[in-house]
C-alpha cells in the first residue's frame, strides 16, 4: 500500500468514527482534534532539553534568523510554537484565551508575565517551516514546575523529537531519566539526538563524547541518530553567508539527518502517529459500549434498586476513601523521614571524609577546590535521592490506585456488574497526563516536575550561600595551620547548614507531591462514582422512555462494537504496513 492510499484510508476512518460518535450522541473531541491535524498535513517537531542547552539558539540556527531571544532566564522561558508564514510575527496566547501581538525583541520577551501565558506563536517565512511546526520548550529542569508540566504535556503531541544535549555534560542523570521516562514511553519513533556546543571540544574529545553517547543510547534505541553540532557557529555562518563556517558547524549533516528522518518521512510519521491515536480512541469507545451493554442485561427494577443502593452507600464509600488517604499519608511520612535520615547520614559521611583529607592538602588547594567539591557531592546525593523518591512515590501511588479500584470491585460484587480495574488505571493516566490523546505511563500530574533535575536548581542557591564564606579567607591573616582549621570549621558549618536547608526543601517537596496525589485520588473517586451513577440513570431512562427490549438494545450495541472492532482492524493493518 502506498502512502497516498494510506492517507485516504486514515482520512475515511476518522470520518467514520466522527459519524459514529455523532449518531450515538457520544462526545469525543479527540477525534475532531485528530482530524484537524491530519487535514493540515503538518507534523510537530519538538525541541527538548534541559535549561541552558542552547535550545533558542539551536532553533534560530535552523531558521537562519535571531527570531527567538537567547540567554533568557528560567523565569522568562515559554512554549514557543513556530509556524510558516509569509509575514514574520509573534503572538502571545494567554491562559484566559486572550491574545496580543508581540515585537520580536529580547526586551519584549523579558517584560511579559509568563505565569499567565499558555504559549507564544511565531510566524516566519523560513523554508524549514513548510509543512512542519517547531515546538521550542522550556528546560525540562526549569525551576517553574508549571512550565515543566506544560512541556511534558506537549510530548505525547509530538510526532518527532530533537533532544538537545550539551557536549560538556552528555546525558546527565536527570537527562537520562527524562529520556527513559518521558520520551521513550510516548511511542515517538523519530528521535534525533543533537550534541550541541561542540565548538569547545578538540577532535579527540568530540570522538569520545560521540562514542559515549552512542554506546549509552544504543541500549535503548536501535541505531540512534546522533549528530554533533555548534548552533552558535551555524547561526553566525548563516547570517554572514560564510559557507566554510557553516560546514565546520556540522549544519550540513544535521540538516541531512532531519531531512532523511523527518521531512522525507513526514507522511509516514503522520500516518503512524494518527493511527496510534485512532487506535486509543476506538478502544476507549469499545469500553464505553461494553459497560452500557452490561447494564442493559439487567431488568429495570434491578437497575433502580442498584442505583438506590449506590446512593445510600455514598457516605460509606467516602469513609473508605478517607481511610485510604489516611493510610497514604502515613506512608508518605515514613518516606520523608527516611529521605531526611539518608541526607543526614550522607552529611556526616561527607564531613568525616573532608576531615580525614585535610592534613594531606595545602591551604590553597582546600580553599580553591573545597567549595565546588561540597557542591558536587551534594548534587550527586540529591540526584540519587530524587531517583529514589520518584520510584518509591510511583510505587505507593500505584498501590493506592489498586486499593481505590478494590473499593469499586466491592461495589461490583454487591451489585453484580463489571468494573474493569485496568480501565480505572487508564482513566488515571488520561486524567493526570492532561494530554489530548493519552499517555503510556502511570504518572500523577505534577509528580514528575519535582524530579529529573528539578530539585537541585532549588537548592543550588543554598549551597552557594553555605560555601560562600570560603572566599573571604586570606592566607595573609595568620599561619596556614590555623587557616586550615578555620576552613575545616567552615566546611563543617557549610555542610550542616546545607543539610538542614535541603531537608526542609525535601520535606516541602514530598508534601507537595503527597497533596497532588491525594487530589488525584479524590478526583478519580468522584469521577468514577459519578460515572457509575450517570450510566445507571442513562440506561434506566432509556428503558423507561423508549420501552425498549434489552435484547434489541444489546443487539444494537453488539453491532456498534463489531463496527468499531472492524475499524480498529483497519487501523492496525495500516500501522503494520507503515511501521517506521
Amino acid at each position: 500500500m502506498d502512502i497516498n492510499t494510506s492517507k485516504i484510508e486514515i482520512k475515511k476512518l476518522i470520518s467514520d468514527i466522527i459519524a459514529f460518535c455523532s449518531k450515538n450522541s457520544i462526545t469525543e473531541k479527540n477525534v475532531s482534534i485528530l482530524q484537524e491535524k491530519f487535514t493540515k498535513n503538518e507534523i510537530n517537531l519538538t525541541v527538548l532539553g534541559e535549561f541552558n542547552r542552547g535550545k533558542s539558539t539551536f532553533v534560530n540556527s535552523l531558521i537562519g534568523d535571531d527570531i527567538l531571544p537567547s540567554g533568557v532566564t528560567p523565569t522568562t522561558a515559554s512554549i514557543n510554537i513556530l509556524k510558516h508564514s509569509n509575514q514574520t510575527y509573534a503572538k502571545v496566547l494567554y491562559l484566559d484565551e486572550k491574545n496580543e501581538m508581540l515585537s520580536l525583541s529580547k526586551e519584549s520577551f523579558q517584560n511579559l508575565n509568563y505565569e499567565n501565558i499558555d504559549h507564544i506563536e511565531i510566524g516566519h517565512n523560513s523554508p524549514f517551516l513548510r509543512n512542519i511546526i517547531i515546538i521550542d520548550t522550556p528546560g525540562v529542569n526549569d525551576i517553574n514546575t508549571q512550565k515543566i508540566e506544560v512541556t511534558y504535556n506537549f510530548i505525547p503531541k509530538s510526532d518527532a523529537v530533537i533532544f538537545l544535549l550539551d557536549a560538556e555534560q552528555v546525558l546527565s542523570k536527570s537527562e537520562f531519566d527524562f529520556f527513559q521516562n518521558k520520551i521513550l514511553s510516548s511511542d515517538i519513533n523519530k528521535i534525533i539526538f543533537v550534541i550541541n556546543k561542540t565548538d569547545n571540544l578538540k577532535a579527540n574529545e568530540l570522538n569520545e563524547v560521540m562514542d559515549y553517547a552512542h554506546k549509552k543510547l544504543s541500549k535503548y534505541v536501535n541505531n540512534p541518530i546522533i549528530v554533533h553540532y555548534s548552533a552558535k557557529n551555524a547561526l553566525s555562518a548563516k547570517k554572514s553567508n560564510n559557507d566554510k563556517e557553516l560546514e565546520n558547524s556540522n549544519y550540513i549533516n544535521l540538516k541531512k539527518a532531519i531531512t532523511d528522518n523527518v521531512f522525507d518521512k513526514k507522511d509516514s510519521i503522520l500516518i503512524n502517529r494518527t493511527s496510534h491515536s485512532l487506535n486509543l480512541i476506538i478502544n476507549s469507545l469499545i469500553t464505553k459500549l461494553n459497560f452500557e451493554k452490561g447494564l442493559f442485561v439487567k431488568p429495570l427494577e434491578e437497575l433502580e434498586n442498584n442505583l438506590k443502593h449506590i446512593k445510600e452507600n455514598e457516605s460509606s464509600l467516602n469513609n473508605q476513601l478517607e481511610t485510604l488517604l489516611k493510610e497514604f499519608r502515613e506512608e508518605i511520612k515514613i518516606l520523608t523521614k527516611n529521605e531526611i535520615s539518608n541526607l543526614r547520614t550522607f552529611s556526616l559521611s561527607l564531613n568525616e571524609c573532608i576531615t580525614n583529607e585535610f592534613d594531606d592538602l595545602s591551604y590553597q588547594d582546600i580553599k580553591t577546590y573545597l567549595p565546588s567539591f561540597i557542591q558536587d557531592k551534594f548534587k550527586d546525593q540529591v540526584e540519587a535521592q530524587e531517583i529514589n523518591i520518584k520510584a518509591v512515590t510511583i510505587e505507593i501511588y500505584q498501590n493506592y490506585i489498586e486499593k481505590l479500584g478494590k473499593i469499586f470491585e466491592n461495589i461490583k460484587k454487591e451489585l453484580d456488574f463489571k468494573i474493569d480495574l485496568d480501565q480505572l488505571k487508564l482513566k488515571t493516566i488520561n486524567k493526570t497526563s492532561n494530554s489530548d490523546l493519552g499517555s503510556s505511563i502511570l504518572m500523577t500530574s505534577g509528580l514528575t516536575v519535582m524530579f529529573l533535575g528539578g530539585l537541585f536548581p532549588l537548592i543550588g542557591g543554598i549551597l552557594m550561600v553555605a560555601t560562600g564564606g570560603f572566599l573571604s579567607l586570606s592566607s595573609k591573616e595568620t599561619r596556614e595551620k590555623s587557616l586550615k582549621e578555620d576552613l575545616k570549621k567552615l566546611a563543617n558549618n557549610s555542610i550542616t547548614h546545607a543539610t538542614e536547608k535541603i531537608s526542609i526543601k525535601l520535606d516541602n517537596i514530598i508534601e507537595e507531591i503527597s497533596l497532588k496525589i491525594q487530589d488525584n485520588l479524590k478526583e478519580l473517586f468522584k469521577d468514577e462514582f459519578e460515572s457509575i451513577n450517570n450510566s445507571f440513570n442513562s440506561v434506566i431512562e432509556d428503558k423507561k422512555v423508549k420501552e425498549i427490549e434489552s435484547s434489541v438494545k444489546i443487539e444494537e450495541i453488539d453491532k456498534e462494537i463489531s463496527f468499531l472492532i472492524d475499524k480498529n482492524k483497519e487501523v492496525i493493518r495500516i500501522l503494520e504496513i507503515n511501521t517506521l
Side-chain angles (χ1 to χ4, degrees), residues 291-548:
F291 182 72
E292 186 179 345
K293 175 184 172 182
L295 292 180
F296 262 98
V297 172
K298 295 182 177 296
L300 178 58
E301 183 179 355
E302 186 177 348
L303 286 171
E304 289 176 328
N305 288 334
N306 284 341
L307 181 58
K308 181 181 178 182
H309 180 80
I310 291 171
K311 289 180 177 179
E312 288 174 348
N313 284 274
E314 182 176 0
S315 176
S316 173
L317 290 170
N318 282 322
N319 288 337
Q320 291 182 57
L321 175 62
E322 285 305 314
T323 300
L324 204 68
L325 294 176
K326 185 177 179 181
E327 292 175 6
F328 169 80
R329 288 191 288 269
E330 289 302 314
E331 289 201 40
I332 291 296
K333 283 182 182 178
I334 294 171
L335 171 64
T336 304
K337 182 179 178 181
N338 289 341
E339 289 304 320
I340 291 176
S341 175
N342 290 340
L343 182 65
R344 286 176 176 158
T345 300
F346 155 79
S347 173
L348 292 172
S349 176
L350 182 59
N351 256 323
E352 184 179 348
C353 171
I354 289 172
T355 300
N356 292 340
E357 295 294 330
F358 253 73
D359 291 340
D360 298 329
L361 298 172
S362 70
Y363 160 78
Q364 194 58 45
D365 283 345
I366 295 170
K367 180 182 175 183
T368 303
Y369 300 112
L370 188 58
S372 59
F373 174 78
I374 292 174
Q375 291 186 41
D376 289 343
K377 287 297 181 182
F378 265 103
K379 183 175 184 294
D380 290 343
Q381 175 66 18
V382 167
E383 286 184 344
Q385 289 195 236
E386 284 180 340
I387 294 170
N388 186 62
I389 294 171
K390 175 185 169 185
V392 173
T393 309
I394 292 174
E395 184 179 355
I396 293 173
Y397 179 56
Q398 290 173 329
N399 288 340
Y400 279 87
I401 286 295
E402 292 181 6
K403 289 181 179 182
L404 188 62
K406 286 178 182 177
I407 293 177
F408 291 102
E409 282 291 316
N410 290 333
I411 298 176
K412 177 202 74 175
K413 290 176 183 176
E414 291 177 18
L415 304 179
D416 191 30
F417 69 91
K418 173 83 173 161
I419 291 180
D420 192 337
L421 182 58
D422 288 337
Q423 284 305 314
L424 184 62
K425 289 185 179 181
L426 181 61
K427 285 184 183 181
T428 309
I429 295 168
N430 289 334
K431 168 183 282 295
T432 58
S433 67
N434 293 321
S435 62
D436 55 358
L437 298 175
S439 173
S440 56
I441 62 169
L442 184 62
M443 186 70 74
T444 179
S445 175
L447 175 59
T448 52
V449 301
M450 302 301 174
F451 304 109
L452 311 177
L455 176 58
F456 188 74
L458 296 175
I459 64 151
I462 294 170
L463 292 174
M464 290 299 292
V465 171
T467 57
F470 286 91
L471 302 177
S472 64
L473 295 176
S474 169
S475 59
K476 295 179 181 180
E477 293 176 358
T478 184
R479 294 176 294 108
E480 180 166 313
K481 184 176 180 180
S482 175
L483 280 171
K484 286 173 69 173
E485 286 300 317
D486 289 340
L487 279 176
K488 187 185 295 186
K489 290 177 183 177
L490 181 56
N492 292 337
N493 291 337
S494 298
I495 292 169
T496 301
H497 172 79
T499 301
E500 292 309 310
K501 292 293 184 182
I502 296 169
S503 294
I504 294 171
K505 286 288 183 183
L506 274 175
D507 191 1
N508 292 341
I509 284 174
I510 295 175
E511 176 63 17
E512 185 176 343
I513 295 168
S514 170
L515 292 173
K516 287 180 181 292
I517 292 178
Q518 289 178 71
D519 287 343
N520 270 332
L521 291 171
K522 289 175 185 177
E523 279 296 309
L524 181 58
F525 183 91
K526 178 184 174 184
D527 289 351
E528 192 65 23
F529 186 82
E530 289 179 355
S531 175
I532 293 171
N533 270 291
N534 292 340
S535 296
F536 271 99
N537 279 319
S538 175
V539 174
I540 288 170
E541 288 303 311
D542 205 13
K543 284 195 170 192
K544 282 181 177 178
V545 176
K546 297 181 181 179
E547 296 181 351
I548 188 170

Side-chain angles (χ1 to χ4, degrees), residues 6 43 51 57 78 118 120 159 212 228 239 254 269 307 319 322 331 370 401 431 443-444 459 477 510 569:
S6 292
I43 63 172
F51 187 76
T57 303
S78 67
D118 183 71
I120 298 174
D159 300 303
Y212 171 78
H228 65 83
K239 290 165 68 175
L254 173 63
I269 292 171
L307 181 58
N319 288 337
E322 285 305 314
E331 289 201 40
L370 188 58
I401 286 295
K431 168 183 282 295
M443 186 70 74
T444 179
I459 64 151
E477 293 176 358
I510 295 175
K569 286 178 181 176

Side-chain angles (χ1 to χ4, degrees), residues 253-297:
N253 286 329
L254 173 63
K255 184 180 179 181
K256 184 177 187 305
I258 296 174
T259 300
D260 292 349
N261 294 282
V262 180
F263 290 151
D264 290 352
K265 295 184 178 179
K266 180 174 70 69
D267 288 336
S268 294
I269 292 171
L270 189 60
I271 290 169
N272 185 277
R273 296 291 289 167
T274 305
S275 300
H276 271 294
S277 300
L278 203 53
N279 175 255
L280 287 172
I281 292 168
I282 292 173
N283 281 329
S284 175
L285 291 171
I286 291 172
T287 299
K288 290 178 182 178
L289 289 174
N290 273 321
F291 182 72
E292 186 179 345
K293 175 184 172 182
L295 292 180
F296 262 98
V297 172

